[in-house]
Amino acid sequence: SRKSTESYAVIVLDAFGTGGRIPSHLATVEFFRLCRLKLGDDGLLVMNINSALRGPHSGILHAIHSTMRNVFPHVVTYAVGQGFPAEQSINYVLFASAEPIMDRRHHIEARFPNEVRASKAAIDWMLETAVPSDEIGPGPVLSDDWSPIDLMSF
């Protein structure tokens, strides 16, 4: 609820509509601002998407990354899978925070001890799949007034 004063350590966004599309209202700068307001000072927004890193199917990743960076100073993107061509759509998980995002398991566990339920091997594997921000091309900032994410292919 927008009126609630409760804050959260983690907000996980894994929502898809018809045909696997991200609902446009969940991918805008206004929505991410609301998430940031609901997160604690060192809270973390986690979003799962399907996109390519480069090529004609990369628009979703570029737009979501740019939109998140408009709201959160720290965004880290992880590829869920290795060895795929950059032009192939795969799952990416984006982490966004007002505070720096730690890149080592023990820092993550210390920061969110009650939220980390994955195995050591699963987290170590994910940390190895971070995509350097400079490899993610620039994208449009999506807003409530302009969010063509449902027209982007993945």
Side-chain angles (χ1 to χ4, degrees):
S1 163
R2 290 180 192 214
K3 294 178 182 178
S4 171
T5 58
E6 188 175 7
S7 67
Y8 302 94
V10 179
I11 296 174
V12 177
L13 183 59
D14 190 12
F16 298 94
T18 305
R21 303 257 180 231
I22 299 168
S24 60
H25 64 284
L26 298 180
T28 66
V29 70
E30 292 87 355
F31 177 76
F32 293 147
R33 283 184 191 137
L34 182 59
C35 289
R36 186 167 176 182
L37 286 172
K38 294 298 180 183
L39 289 168
D41 292 338
D42 64 348
L44 194 63
L45 173 62
V46 181
M47 184 175 188
N48 176 49
I49 66 168
N50 191 290
S51 184
L53 181 60
R54 288 190 282 282
H57 303 293
S58 63
I60 293 172
L61 175 60
H62 297 177
I64 294 291
H65 187 267
S66 292
T67 305
M68 281 186 162
R69 288 297 305 258
N70 190 273
V71 176
F72 294 94
H74 304 280
V75 178
V76 178
T77 303
Y78 297 96
V80 182
Q82 295 176 323
F84 293 98
E87 295 77 19
Q88 181 176 334
S89 288
I90 63 171
N91 279 82
Y92 288 93
V93 179
L94 292 89
F95 286 63
S97 181
E99 298 294 324
I101 298 167
M102 287 65 152
D103 62 354
R104 304 222 186 279
R105 178 184 171 84
H106 66 278
H107 288 141
I108 294 170
E109 286 178 322
R111 186 169 170 196
F112 302 109
N114 297 321
E115 289 81 6
V116 175
R117 292 185 178 90
S119 70
K120 177 184 180 338
I123 291 178
D124 289 345
W125 171 79
M126 187 173 173
L127 295 175
E128 293 172 7
T129 64
V131 179
S133 285
D134 61 353
E135 286 189 27
I136 301 172
V141 173
L142 306 174
S143 71
D144 285 348
D145 293 329
W146 187 80
S147 183
I149 196 162
D150 55 340
L151 302 177
M152 296 176 181
S153 63
F154 58 92

CSV table of all heavy atoms in Angstrom, one decimal, residues 13-28 47-52 56-61 63-64 89 91 142 147-154:
chain,number,residue,atom,x,y,z
A,13,LEU,N,10.6,-8.7,-7.7
A,13,LEU,CA,9.7,-8.5,-8.8
A,13,LEU,C,9.9,-9.6,-9.9
A,13,LEU,O,10.9,-9.5,-10.6
A,13,LEU,CB,9.9,-7.1,-9.4
A,13,LEU,CG,9.0,-6.6,-10.5
A,13,LEU,CD1,7.5,-6.7,-10.0
A,13,LEU,CD2,9.3,-5.2,-10.9
A,14,ASP,N,9.0,-10.5,-10.0
A,14,ASP,CA,9.1,-11.6,-10.9
A,14,ASP,C,7.7,-11.8,-11.5
A,14,ASP,O,7.0,-12.7,-11.2
A,14,ASP,CB,9.6,-12.9,-10.2
A,14,ASP,CG,9.9,-14.0,-11.2
A,14,ASP,OD1,10.0,-13.7,-12.4
A,14,ASP,OD2,10.1,-15.1,-10.8
A,15,ALA,N,7.3,-10.8,-12.3
A,15,ALA,CA,5.9,-10.7,-12.8
A,15,ALA,C,5.9,-10.7,-14.3
A,15,ALA,O,6.5,-9.8,-14.9
A,15,ALA,CB,5.2,-9.5,-12.2
A,16,PHE,N,5.1,-11.6,-14.8
A,16,PHE,CA,5.0,-11.6,-16.3
A,16,PHE,C,3.5,-11.8,-16.6
A,16,PHE,O,2.7,-12.5,-16.0
A,16,PHE,CB,5.8,-12.8,-16.9
A,16,PHE,CG,7.2,-12.7,-16.6
A,16,PHE,CD1,7.8,-13.3,-15.5
A,16,PHE,CD2,8.0,-11.9,-17.4
A,16,PHE,CE1,9.2,-13.1,-15.3
A,16,PHE,CE2,9.4,-11.7,-17.2
A,16,PHE,CZ,10.0,-12.4,-16.1
A,17,GLY,N,3.1,-11.1,-17.7
A,17,GLY,CA,1.7,-11.3,-18.2
A,17,GLY,C,1.6,-12.2,-19.4
A,17,GLY,O,2.5,-13.1,-19.6
A,18,THR,N,0.6,-12.0,-20.2
A,18,THR,CA,0.4,-12.8,-21.4
A,18,THR,C,1.6,-12.8,-22.3
A,18,THR,O,2.2,-11.8,-22.6
A,18,THR,CB,-0.8,-12.2,-22.2
A,18,THR,OG1,-1.9,-12.1,-21.3
A,18,THR,CG2,-1.2,-13.1,-23.3
A,19,GLY,N,2.0,-14.0,-22.7
A,19,GLY,CA,3.1,-14.2,-23.6
A,19,GLY,C,4.5,-13.9,-22.9
A,19,GLY,O,5.5,-13.7,-23.6
A,20,GLY,N,4.5,-13.9,-21.6
A,20,GLY,CA,5.8,-13.6,-20.9
A,20,GLY,C,6.2,-12.2,-20.9
A,20,GLY,O,7.4,-11.9,-20.5
A,21,ARG,N,5.3,-11.3,-21.2
A,21,ARG,CA,5.6,-9.9,-21.1
A,21,ARG,C,5.6,-9.3,-19.7
A,21,ARG,O,4.8,-9.7,-18.9
A,21,ARG,CB,4.7,-9.1,-22.0
A,21,ARG,CG,4.6,-9.6,-23.4
A,21,ARG,CD,5.4,-8.6,-24.3
A,21,ARG,NE,5.3,-9.1,-25.7
A,21,ARG,CZ,6.4,-9.3,-26.4
A,21,ARG,NH1,7.6,-9.0,-26.0
A,21,ARG,NH2,6.3,-9.7,-27.7
A,22,ILE,N,6.5,-8.3,-19.5
A,22,ILE,CA,6.5,-7.6,-18.2
A,22,ILE,C,5.3,-6.6,-18.2
A,22,ILE,O,5.3,-5.8,-19.2
A,22,ILE,CB,7.8,-6.9,-17.9
A,22,ILE,CG1,8.9,-7.9,-17.9
A,22,ILE,CG2,7.7,-6.1,-16.7
A,22,ILE,CD1,10.3,-7.3,-18.0
A,23,PRO,N,4.4,-6.6,-17.3
A,23,PRO,CA,3.4,-5.6,-17.2
A,23,PRO,C,4.0,-4.2,-17.2
A,23,PRO,O,4.9,-3.9,-16.4
A,23,PRO,CB,2.6,-5.8,-15.9
A,23,PRO,CG,2.9,-7.3,-15.7
A,23,PRO,CD,4.3,-7.5,-16.1
A,24,SER,N,3.6,-3.3,-18.2
A,24,SER,CA,4.3,-2.0,-18.4
A,24,SER,C,4.3,-1.2,-17.1
A,24,SER,O,5.3,-0.4,-16.9
A,24,SER,CB,3.7,-1.3,-19.5
A,24,SER,OG,2.3,-1.0,-19.3
A,25,HIS,N,3.3,-1.2,-16.3
A,25,HIS,CA,3.3,-0.4,-15.1
A,25,HIS,C,4.2,-0.8,-14.0
A,25,HIS,O,4.5,-0.1,-13.1
A,25,HIS,CB,1.8,-0.3,-14.5
A,25,HIS,CG,1.3,-1.6,-14.0
A,25,HIS,ND1,0.9,-2.6,-14.9
A,25,HIS,CD2,1.2,-2.1,-12.8
A,25,HIS,CE1,0.5,-3.7,-14.2
A,25,HIS,NE2,0.7,-3.4,-12.9
A,26,LEU,N,4.9,-2.0,-14.2
A,26,LEU,CA,5.8,-2.5,-13.2
A,26,LEU,C,7.3,-2.3,-13.7
A,26,LEU,O,8.2,-2.9,-13.2
A,26,LEU,CB,5.6,-4.0,-13.0
A,26,LEU,CG,4.3,-4.4,-12.4
A,26,LEU,CD1,4.2,-5.9,-12.2
A,26,LEU,CD2,4.1,-3.7,-11.0
A,27,ALA,N,7.4,-1.5,-14.8
A,27,ALA,CA,8.8,-1.3,-15.3
A,27,ALA,C,9.0,0.2,-15.6
A,27,ALA,O,9.7,0.6,-16.5
A,27,ALA,CB,8.9,-2.1,-16.6
A,28,THR,N,8.4,1.1,-14.8
A,28,THR,CA,8.5,2.5,-15.0
A,28,THR,C,9.3,3.2,-13.9
A,28,THR,O,9.5,2.7,-12.8
A,28,THR,CB,7.2,3.2,-15.1
A,28,THR,OG1,6.5,3.1,-13.8
A,28,THR,CG2,6.3,2.6,-16.2
A,47,MET,N,14.8,-7.9,-9.6
A,47,MET,CA,13.9,-8.0,-10.7
A,47,MET,C,14.4,-9.1,-11.7
A,47,MET,O,15.5,-9.0,-12.2
A,47,MET,CB,13.6,-6.7,-11.5
A,47,MET,CG,12.6,-6.8,-12.6
A,47,MET,SD,12.3,-5.1,-13.2
A,47,MET,CE,10.9,-5.5,-14.3
A,48,ASN,N,13.5,-10.0,-12.1
A,48,ASN,CA,13.8,-11.0,-13.1
A,48,ASN,C,13.3,-10.6,-14.4
A,48,ASN,O,12.1,-10.2,-14.5
A,48,ASN,CB,13.2,-12.4,-12.6
A,48,ASN,CG,13.4,-13.5,-13.7
A,48,ASN,OD1,14.5,-13.7,-14.1
A,48,ASN,ND2,12.4,-14.2,-14.0
A,49,ILE,N,14.1,-10.7,-15.5
A,49,ILE,CA,13.6,-10.4,-16.8
A,49,ILE,C,14.1,-11.4,-17.8
A,49,ILE,O,15.0,-12.1,-17.5
A,49,ILE,CB,14.0,-8.9,-17.3
A,49,ILE,CG1,15.5,-8.8,-17.4
A,49,ILE,CG2,13.4,-7.9,-16.3
A,49,ILE,CD1,15.9,-7.5,-18.2
A,50,ASN,N,13.6,-11.3,-19.0
A,50,ASN,CA,14.1,-12.2,-20.1
A,50,ASN,C,14.4,-11.2,-21.2
A,50,ASN,O,13.6,-10.4,-21.7
A,50,ASN,CB,13.0,-13.1,-20.6
A,50,ASN,CG,13.5,-14.2,-21.5
A,50,ASN,OD1,13.8,-13.8,-22.7
A,50,ASN,ND2,13.6,-15.4,-21.1
A,51,SER,N,15.6,-11.3,-21.7
A,51,SER,CA,16.1,-10.4,-22.8
A,51,SER,C,17.4,-10.9,-23.3
A,51,SER,O,18.0,-11.8,-22.7
A,51,SER,CB,16.3,-8.9,-22.2
A,51,SER,OG,16.7,-8.0,-23.2
A,52,ALA,N,17.9,-10.2,-24.3
A,52,ALA,CA,19.3,-10.5,-24.8
A,52,ALA,C,20.2,-9.3,-24.4
A,52,ALA,O,19.7,-8.3,-24.0
A,52,ALA,CB,19.3,-10.6,-26.4
A,56,PRO,N,18.7,-7.3,-31.7
A,56,PRO,CA,17.3,-6.9,-31.8
A,56,PRO,C,16.4,-7.3,-30.6
A,56,PRO,O,15.3,-6.8,-30.4
A,56,PRO,CB,16.8,-7.6,-33.1
A,56,PRO,CG,17.7,-8.7,-33.3
A,56,PRO,CD,19.1,-8.3,-32.7
A,57,HIS,N,16.9,-8.2,-29.8
A,57,HIS,CA,16.1,-8.7,-28.6
A,57,HIS,C,16.6,-8.1,-27.3
A,57,HIS,O,16.3,-8.7,-26.2
A,57,HIS,CB,16.0,-10.2,-28.6
A,57,HIS,CG,15.5,-10.8,-29.8
A,57,HIS,ND1,14.2,-10.6,-30.2
A,57,HIS,CD2,16.0,-11.5,-30.8
A,57,HIS,CE1,14.0,-11.2,-31.3
A,57,HIS,NE2,15.1,-11.8,-31.7
A,58,SER,N,17.4,-7.0,-27.3
A,58,SER,CA,18.1,-6.5,-26.1
A,58,SER,C,17.4,-5.3,-25.5
A,58,SER,O,17.8,-4.8,-24.5
A,58,SER,CB,19.5,-6.2,-26.4
A,58,SER,OG,19.6,-5.1,-27.4
A,59,GLY,N,16.3,-4.8,-26.2
A,59,GLY,CA,15.7,-3.6,-25.7
A,59,GLY,C,15.1,-3.6,-24.3
A,59,GLY,O,15.2,-2.6,-23.6
A,60,ILE,N,14.6,-4.8,-23.9
A,60,ILE,CA,14.1,-4.9,-22.5
A,60,ILE,C,15.2,-4.7,-21.5
A,60,ILE,O,15.0,-3.9,-20.5
A,60,ILE,CB,13.3,-6.2,-22.3
A,60,ILE,CG1,12.1,-6.2,-23.2
A,60,ILE,CG2,13.0,-6.4,-20.9
A,60,ILE,CD1,11.3,-7.6,-23.2
A,61,LEU,N,16.3,-5.4,-21.6
A,61,LEU,CA,17.4,-5.3,-20.7
A,61,LEU,C,17.9,-3.8,-20.6
A,61,LEU,O,18.1,-3.2,-19.6
A,61,LEU,CB,18.5,-6.2,-21.0
A,61,LEU,CG,19.8,-6.1,-20.1
A,61,LEU,CD1,19.5,-6.3,-18.7
A,61,LEU,CD2,20.9,-7.0,-20.7
A,63,ALA,N,16.4,-1.0,-21.5
A,63,ALA,CA,15.4,-0.1,-20.9
A,63,ALA,C,15.2,-0.3,-19.4
A,63,ALA,O,15.2,0.7,-18.7
A,63,ALA,CB,14.0,-0.3,-21.6
A,64,ILE,N,15.1,-1.5,-19.0
A,64,ILE,CA,15.0,-1.7,-17.5
A,64,ILE,C,16.2,-1.2,-16.8
A,64,ILE,O,16.1,-0.6,-15.7
A,64,ILE,CB,14.7,-3.2,-17.2
A,64,ILE,CG1,13.4,-3.7,-17.8
A,64,ILE,CG2,14.8,-3.5,-15.7
A,64,ILE,CD1,12.2,-3.1,-17.1
A,89,SER,N,18.1,-14.4,-26.1
A,89,SER,CA,17.3,-14.1,-24.9
A,89,SER,C,17.6,-15.1,-23.8
A,89,SER,O,17.4,-16.3,-24.1
A,89,SER,CB,15.9,-13.9,-25.2
A,89,SER,OG,15.6,-12.8,-25.9
A,91,ASN,N,17.5,-15.4,-19.1
A,91,ASN,CA,17.0,-14.7,-17.9
A,91,ASN,C,18.2,-13.8,-17.4
A,91,ASN,O,19.3,-14.3,-17.3
A,91,ASN,CB,16.6,-15.6,-16.8
A,91,ASN,CG,15.2,-16.1,-17.1
A,91,ASN,OD1,14.9,-17.0,-17.9
A,91,ASN,ND2,14.2,-15.5,-16.4
A,142,LEU,N,11.8,4.4,-19.0
A,142,LEU,CA,10.4,4.1,-19.2
A,142,LEU,C,9.6,4.9,-18.1
A,142,LEU,O,10.1,5.0,-17.0
A,142,LEU,CB,10.1,2.6,-19.1
A,142,LEU,CG,10.9,1.7,-20.0
A,142,LEU,CD1,10.7,0.3,-19.7
A,142,LEU,CD2,10.6,2.1,-21.5
A,147,SER,N,5.9,3.9,-22.0
A,147,SER,CA,6.5,2.6,-21.6
A,147,SER,C,6.1,1.6,-22.7
A,147,SER,O,5.2,0.8,-22.5
A,147,SER,CB,6.0,2.2,-20.2
A,147,SER,OG,6.6,1.0,-19.9
A,148,PRO,N,6.9,1.6,-23.8
A,148,PRO,CA,6.6,0.6,-24.8
A,148,PRO,C,7.2,-0.8,-24.6
A,148,PRO,O,7.5,-1.5,-25.6
A,148,PRO,CB,7.2,1.3,-26.1
A,148,PRO,CG,8.4,2.0,-25.5
A,148,PRO,CD,8.0,2.5,-24.1
A,149,ILE,N,7.4,-1.1,-23.4
A,149,ILE,CA,8.0,-2.4,-23.1
A,149,ILE,C,7.3,-3.6,-23.6
A,149,ILE,O,7.8,-4.6,-24.1
A,149,ILE,CB,8.3,-2.6,-21.6
A,149,ILE,CG1,9.3,-3.7,-21.3
A,149,ILE,CG2,7.0,-2.8,-20.8
A,149,ILE,CD1,9.9,-3.7,-20.0
A,150,ASP,N,5.9,-3.5,-23.7
A,150,ASP,CA,5.2,-4.6,-24.3
A,150,ASP,C,5.3,-4.7,-25.8
A,150,ASP,O,4.9,-5.7,-26.4
A,150,ASP,CB,3.7,-4.5,-23.9
A,150,ASP,CG,3.1,-3.1,-24.3
A,150,ASP,OD1,3.8,-2.2,-24.5
A,150,ASP,OD2,1.8,-3.1,-24.3
A,151,LEU,N,6.0,-3.7,-26.4
A,151,LEU,CA,6.2,-3.8,-27.9
A,151,LEU,C,7.7,-4.3,-28.1
A,151,LEU,O,8.0,-4.6,-29.3
A,151,LEU,CB,6.1,-2.4,-28.5
A,151,LEU,CG,4.7,-1.8,-28.4
A,151,LEU,CD1,4.7,-0.4,-29.0
A,151,LEU,CD2,3.6,-2.7,-29.0
A,152,MET,N,8.5,-4.4,-27.1
A,152,MET,CA,9.9,-4.9,-27.3
A,152,MET,C,9.9,-6.4,-27.3
A,152,MET,O,9.2,-7.1,-26.6
A,152,MET,CB,10.7,-4.4,-26.1
A,152,MET,CG,10.8,-2.9,-26.0
A,152,MET,SD,11.8,-2.4,-24.6
A,152,MET,CE,11.7,-0.6,-24.8
A,153,SER,N,10.7,-6.9,-28.2
A,153,SER,CA,10.8,-8.4,-28.3
A,153,SER,C,11.9,-8.9,-27.4
A,153,SER,O,12.8,-8.2,-27.1
A,153,SER,CB,11.1,-8.8,-29.8
A,153,SER,OG,12.3,-8.3,-30.2
A,154,PHE,N,11.7,-10.2,-27.0
A,154,PHE,CA,12.7,-10.8,-26.2
A,154,PHE,C,13.0,-12.2,-26.6
A,154,PHE,O,12.7,-12.9,-27.4
A,154,PHE,CB,12.2,-10.9,-24.7
A,154,PHE,CG,10.9,-11.6,-24.5
A,154,PHE,CD1,11.0,-12.9,-24.1
A,154,PHE,CD2,9.7,-11.0,-24.5
A,154,PHE,CE1,9.8,-13.6,-23.9
A,154,PHE,CE2,8.5,-11.6,-24.3
A,154,PHE,CZ,8.6,-13.0,-23.9
